[in-house]
Amino acid sequence: MSFSVIGELLNTTRDPIRNAVARRQTGVIQKLVIRQQESGADYIDVNTGAGVQAEQAELHWLIDTVQAVATVPLCIDSPDPAVIASAWERLDRPPMINSITLEKTRFQPLLEQLQGRPCQVIALCLDDSGMPADVTETCRRAERLVTALTGRGIPLDAVWIDPLVSPVSTDTRNGPGALAAVAAVKQQCPGVKTVCGLSNISFGLPARRIINRTFLPLMISRGLNGALLDPLDRELTAALATTRMLLGDDAYCLGYMDHCAAEKVPG
Amino acid sequence: MSFSVIGELLNTTRDPIRNAVARRQTGVIQKLVIRQQESGADYIDVNTGAGVQAEQAELHWLIDTVQAVATVPLCIDSPDPAVIASAWERLDRPPMINSITLEKTRFQPLLEQLQGRPCQVIALCLDDSGMPADVTETCRRAERLVTALTGRGIPLDAVWIDPLVSPVSTDTRNGPGALAAVAAVKQQCPGVKTVCGLSNISFGLPARRIINRTFLPLMISRGLNGALLDPLDRELTAALATTRMLLGDDAYCLGYMDHCAAEKVPG
């Protein structure tokens, strides 16, 4: 297994972040960048989509502010290809792009700007008809995305397929469905990466963190290669360190032991 | 999925239990029976193996003491077929027997006493040469056990194969090995049940409870049907309730919601 943590905290749908971005509070933002990195984030997601009118200006400020302290790449998170297009020249290292879909307004515009630009790309199995109806449809969409992106020169292992996780609260088949989708995409498109927004699974239920940290090992064991998640959730990162060890990706258990020592885990 | 919890706490290798059994402290024992049942135990394991000389007498007292308050079957846990043989007439409902192995001293003696007796049987993939070397060997032993037990009239779904879990601390391949073994046994012997001693995986490492509660979802997702575990570990039982929900075995998420309500889970 290999697994990448995309730190999700810098999103203006979260009240403290919306306020910090609106007020240009550099310190608040940079502290969260550093804490996410220290807690194992491999990418820092930046999303200013809550500020409809201001999205682009806010994103530019946020990118500059984050990059001043970031030691890892950014994950540029917007549904608007024009907003993403406006960000490229500010970036000081190849980003992760979050995200392309098969929707008409996003597919071609994003494909065109990705050509020739080194980056990682999150590709959602979403088209204009909505969510995929089943695993077969998820795989069909994944293949279309993979074909299009690799056709534009994106390496296969830089394509991160998000099969789209729906809350188990709306349909209890969504848990098994998400697990099956990840496994199927990994099988159908060997070499591609898979990713999801981890906490989507727990929407609408109490004690969401318990669900998230139980879902993560299950998804990783099916082949999940990364997730947008909260790296400051210490029980979640403990589950991640433990999963790596249990799946045989932690020589001499050193990563797990380090995690225990660093977190003063009580057990 | 279906999953059974075998409450492991009444084992005289644990100091408080050794003392309580030695002093015949009925109240201490019965309280732990009730608490394990209330926390979801489907079987109550009783093991007096620490008291070498006294094993049989202690087991008899423990069985009588437990049965006075138990609403679920007992799991009679001894390596000694003679000790198990001495217990049958005391039992007021069909037990789980823990365990038969392929070792010469245990195999035939146990097989013979099982014939005609309704019970569940835990069958360890252990023979006189020791642990199985690989998954192929585990499956070969599982098949021998299944053939022998069903040949004596034990229903296939009353046979619980334990592929034997070794600590990840001694070899980091033991995690993937245990997961692969469960999956392979379920595939090779369709209809059989699988079981393990959950905490074996975490022996020798710090924060064992984190490892146990991360291992449980992974094992269940590969087909584990039961485990000896501590039902009073609330984070472990939360992981179990969540796993049931995430694997689609919790209509309307009611089991999960009940668990949250009962445990006042903070999330």
Side-chain angles (χ1 to χ4, degrees), chain A residues 168 172 175-176 179 205-207 209-211 214-215 217-218 221-222 242-243 245-248 250 253 256-257 265 267, chain B residues 168 172 175-176 179 201 205-207 209-211 214-215 217-218 221-222 242-243 245-248 250 253 256-257 265 267:
Chain A
V168 72
T172 51
L179 296 168
L205 285 169
R209 293 168 64 230
I210 292 179
I211 303 172
T214 307
F215 189 52
L218 292 172
S221 78
R222 300 303 166 99
T242 308
T243 300
M245 178 175 71
L246 291 174
L247 295 182
D250 185 14
C253 307
Y256 176 79
M257 304 280 277
V265 172
Chain B
V168 72
T172 51
L179 297 168
I201 194 69
L205 285 170
R209 293 168 64 232
I210 292 179
I211 302 172
T214 306
F215 189 50
L218 293 172
S221 79
R222 299 303 167 99
T242 308
T243 300
M245 177 176 71
L246 291 174
L247 296 182
D250 184 14
C253 307
Y256 176 79
M257 304 280 278
V265 171

Side-chain angles (χ1 to χ4, degrees), chain B residues 119-169:
Chain B
C119 62
Q120 308 287 314
V121 184
I122 295 180
L124 312 187
C125 293
L126 185 70
D127 71 13
D128 290 304
S129 72
M131 304 280 285
D134 54 27
V135 168
T136 308
E137 181 61 25
T138 301
C139 285
R140 193 156 28 219
R141 295 181 186 184
E143 282 173 344
R144 283 183 58 203
L145 288 159
V146 166
T147 303
L149 288 163
T150 54
R152 295 288 177 140
I154 309 285
L156 181 60
D157 66 358
V159 177
W160 299 70
I161 297 292
D162 183 341
L164 299 174
V165 169
S166 296
V168 72
S169 59

Side-chain angles (χ1 to χ4, degrees), chain B residues 85-145:
Chain B
S86 76
W88 289 103
E89 65 183 28
R90 310 188 91 82
L91 298 171
D92 58 18
R93 54 168 72 83
M96 178 176 271
I97 297 300
N98 185 9
S99 52
I100 193 170
T101 72
L102 294 165
E103 296 164 296
K104 279 207 175 65
T105 54
R106 290 168 80 173
F107 187 59
Q108 282 301 336
L110 257 168
L111 261 193
E112 278 156 29
Q113 58 180 285
L114 292 175
Q115 178 132 20
R117 287 193 158 115
C119 62
Q120 308 287 314
V121 184
I122 295 180
L124 312 187
C125 293
L126 185 70
D127 71 13
D128 290 304
S129 72
M131 304 280 285
D134 54 27
V135 168
T136 308
E137 181 61 25
T138 301
C139 285
R140 193 156 28 219
R141 295 181 186 184
E143 282 173 344
R144 283 183 58 203
L145 288 159

